[in-house]
Amino acid sequence: MSKKQAPALPRTAIIDIGSNTVRLVVYEGIASLATPLFNEKVHCALARGLADTRRLNPDGRDSAMAALARFVRLARAMRVGRIRALATAAVREAEDGGSFVARIERRFHIPVRVLSGTEEARFSAFGLLASVPDADGLLGDLGGGSLELVALDRGQIRRSASLMLGHLVLAERTDGSRKRAKDVIERELAALSWLRRLKGRSLYVTGGAWRAIAHILLGQTKHPLHIIDGYEIAADEVSRIAAILSDLSRETLLKIEKISPRRAETLSFAALVLRALIEKGRPDNVVFSGYGIREGAFLSALPERPGKERDLLVEGAAAIARRMGRFTLDGEEICHWLDPLFRSLPRGRSGRERRLRLVVCYLSDVARFDHPDYRAEHALARVLRLPLGGLSHADRAYAALAVFVRYNGMIDSAPAKPYAGLLDDERLHGANVLGLALRLAYALSGGAPGLLARTRLKIAGDALILKLPRARAAYAGETVDRRLRSLARALELEPKLR
């Protein structure tokens, strides 16, 4: 077994009984975190009316029971090893929450864990940290019933709070008055003095309503990559757009692409919370995440929750390589061969850049089975859109452009141009160099394992030196010479074959 390959784990079903939706997600091992086997939600609005009645929405209870009947049947048909059902703010706060849980357990013979506010916040943090292990700043997870806040210090959970500021509950608490909602939000956030530590750091946000705002931001800014996870934008710009959204009527919101009628009902209240959080904490940037409570619940259900020694991004890339690659040339083998070269380049020594190079090396054969005339463009599109967590949009552009060049794409060509704009000049040059170095690696090895280790690539003075073994017939040739020259030219070095 490859050292990057996770041991086999039984399938796990997570049923999230939320304040707004009930969802089933089925995972098969850690590598499936970003690509679950099954993911479906049903809108139930259990929290509707909760602020007034202190009870769950009767229609929502019926809808939830119908959804659970389907989900439990599906999970058992999928032969999951464990069904883990969680209930969050609405069930936790409702007077009839306990009887609703008992009804579920009697009918479906599954235990339901009602999370405390602290547990809900920590599960959300576990989910985020699975994709961003060194997250530093504040996590905000907005649901229909509550807002979970978690202070993070370079990947460590410090403090947390759970506030009844979910977009459904907030709208009802204030009878739909946005002015009153602002006052309620300000009062509840004012009690959290530790939010001041967010200043100049990152605000990580998750939750369906805030992801809807991310879709609007992507459109408004004409961003070239329409993926929510890892989307980073200046906090001031988010605050500006949130201020506009918070003043729009439901009818106006419905005119915005991808905003559903249900989402439009309370989106302005979600925008109010987001803007208030930015104004209170003064973060430098906002990072939208596709990871949260369900991913955290899955990870916490494992025999041992993955620590920093388990890199889920690298494991996910390795899993893709096993499905899509040709032979058994390992990404770590390629990356190790490239290390001497990149240690001589700006940024090349950093652990973060080395980790990203390793991911690229694992993905460097993704277009092997495509038509040769389209491999470069297909590789570019595929790597940009791969369901891997933990990649910023700049990281995605770097990885995709490197693999694009590996397949003979030109870094300054039309297909590359929209994504090249996501990188500064130094990183764009680095992506080009990595792609050209990968072309050389595949010319030397043919994609077969064990051959690269017999050669050495390094920079010495003003020369790029490729050292071959004495029995060089299997390595030397026109293609190797040409690709070595291309790489040396990009580095403004003299190619030397020894």
Side-chain angles (χ1 to χ4, degrees), residues 30-35 130-131 227 229-230 291 312-321 323 356 359-360 362-363 366 382-393 396 399:
I30 291 175
S32 75
L33 200 64
T35 53
S131 64
I227 292 175
D229 187 58
Y291 290 71
L312 302 187
L313 170 60
V314 172
E315 288 189 17
I320 291 169
R323 292 197 304 269
L356 185 54
V359 169
V360 175
Y362 273 115
L363 300 178
V366 294
R382 191 169 295 149
V383 176
L384 279 168
R385 296 168 177 84
L386 279 173
L388 285 173
L391 290 171
S392 70
H393 284 198
R396 284 182 179 274

Side-chain angles (χ1 to χ4, degrees), residues 16 18-21 23 41 88 120-121 123-125 127-128 131 138-149 165-168 203-217 227-231 238 258-259 263 266-267 269-271 273-274 277 286-295:
D16 178 7
S19 301
N20 195 35
T21 62
R23 185 186 293 263
K41 71 176 179 181
T88 56
E120 191 171 348
F123 276 13
S124 294
L128 173 70
S131 64
L138 181 76
L139 165 65
D141 186 349
L142 184 72
S146 63
L147 167 67
E148 274 60 56
L149 297 172
L165 292 177
H167 53 91
L168 279 175
L203 172 61
Y204 303 88
V205 298
T206 188
W210 282 349
R211 284 194 286 269
I213 292 176
H215 275 296
I216 294 170
L217 285 162
I227 292 175
I228 299 300
D229 187 58
Y231 175 41
V238 179
K258 293 187 178 180
I259 300 300
R263 184 64 71 198
T266 58
L267 188 64
F269 291 88
V273 177
L274 181 55
L277 200 52
V286 176
V287 182
F288 290 89
S289 175
Y291 290 71
I293 187 172
R294 288 176 291 276
E295 291 78 15

Side-chain angles (χ1 to χ4, degrees), residues 210-257:
W210 282 349
R211 284 194 286 269
I213 292 176
H215 275 296
I216 294 170
L217 285 162
L218 287 166
Q220 289 291 316
T221 59
K222 295 181 169 43
H223 194 73
L225 191 56
H226 280 246
I227 292 175
I228 299 300
D229 187 58
Y231 175 41
E232 181 178 334
I233 183 171
D236 288 345
E237 179 64 9
V238 179
S239 182
R240 185 183 72 81
I241 296 294
I244 295 171
L245 293 173
S246 65
D247 285 334
L248 297 181
S249 67
R250 179 180 182 276
E251 291 70 26
T252 304
L253 287 169
L254 282 172
K255 295 176 183 178
I256 301 174
E257 187 179 1

Side-chain angles (χ1 to χ4, degrees), residues 169 192 210 272 294 302 307:
V169 167
L192 304 177
W210 282 349
L272 282 172
R294 288 176 291 276
L302 298 177

Side-chain angles (χ1 to χ4, degrees), residues 387-407:
L388 285 173
L391 290 171
S392 70
H393 284 198
D395 289 341
R396 284 182 179 274
Y398 178 94
L401 289 169
V403 179
F404 177 67
V405 172
R406 171 264 189 272
Y407 281 110

Side-chain angles (χ1 to χ4, degrees), residues 462-466 481 484-485 488-489 493-497:
D462 61 355
L464 176 65
I465 299 171
L466 176 61
D481 288 345
L484 177 63
R485 288 196 302 271
R489 187 162 51 249
L493 297 172
E494 183 71 22
K496 292 188 178 180
L497 195 60

